Amino acid sequence: MQAQKIGPPDMICKDKFLIQSTIVPIETTLEDITSTGLFGKNNSKNIEERRLAIILVRPSSSPTVDAFSVGVSDQSNDKKIEELKLKITQLDLKLHQAEIAISKLQEDKTRMKKTKSLQKNCLVSCSIL
């Protein structure tokens, strides 16, 4: 990504950010995480995509104004903000549920390893007798 050398005179930008997300198996390693491996179009995984529009804001003459703050005054923007807050809350809930599911799967995996180890030990013990 590169910054524009000069902003468009009308401050209208058609650029968008593409945000992609997917669920990966628990055994996925850092080496497995690549943009082509996880998000390739020929991949059969469920990939969720969202596009975020870029909004350019003219800098104010005051150097103390935060560059990321945008004045919101009309009700339609307030409604959008409330909808976004609700979506964030819902995503937080889904994240929490996913973390619980991952924890349970890790416990199951540990339990299965112990069971296999016990079975192996039992087979070895039985074959010695």
Side-chain angles (χ1 to χ4, degrees):
M1 182 182 334
Q2 274 186 316
Q4 294 180 342
K5 297 199 189 280
I6 57 169
D10 57 1
M11 295 299 286
I12 296 176
C13 179
K14 294 183 181 178
D15 293 345
K16 294 182 179 183
F17 286 104
L18 174 63
I19 310 297
Q20 295 179 312
S21 65
T22 188
I23 298 172
V24 296
I26 195 165
E27 64 272 1
T28 303
T29 64
L30 287 176
E31 292 79 29
D32 298 332
I33 299 176
T34 62
S35 60
T36 55
L38 290 178
F39 301 107
K41 293 296 178 188
N42 58 355
N43 204 333
S44 62
K45 293 181 183 173
N46 181 21
I47 299 173
E48 291 191 30
E49 294 184 346
R50 296 288 186 262
R51 286 176 172 67
L52 299 178
I54 296 174
I55 300 172
L56 300 177
V57 179
R58 291 190 193 278
S60 70
S61 58
S62 169
T64 60
V65 175
D66 184 7
F68 295 106
S69 66
V70 178
V72 178
S73 60
D74 62 273
Q75 290 181 353
S76 65
N77 283 340
D78 288 343
K79 183 178 178 182
K80 287 179 184 178
I81 289 172
E82 289 304 315
E83 289 172 357
L84 289 173
K85 286 180 181 178
L86 177 62
K87 286 181 181 179
I88 289 172
T89 302
Q90 291 170 341
L91 288 173
D92 281 341
L93 178 61
K94 286 182 181 180
L95 176 62
H96 180 68
Q97 291 170 342
E99 288 171 339
I100 291 171
I102 289 169
S103 176
K104 287 180 181 179
L105 287 171
Q106 287 172 333
E107 290 172 5
D108 289 347
K109 184 178 179 182
T110 302
R111 218 175 291 120
M112 288 175 62
K113 282 183 179 180
K114 287 181 181 177
T115 301
K116 284 183 181 181
S117 176
L118 290 173
Q119 287 174 344
K120 185 178 177 183
N121 290 340
C122 181
L123 287 174
V124 169
S125 298
C126 292
S127 64
I128 293 175
L129 294 175

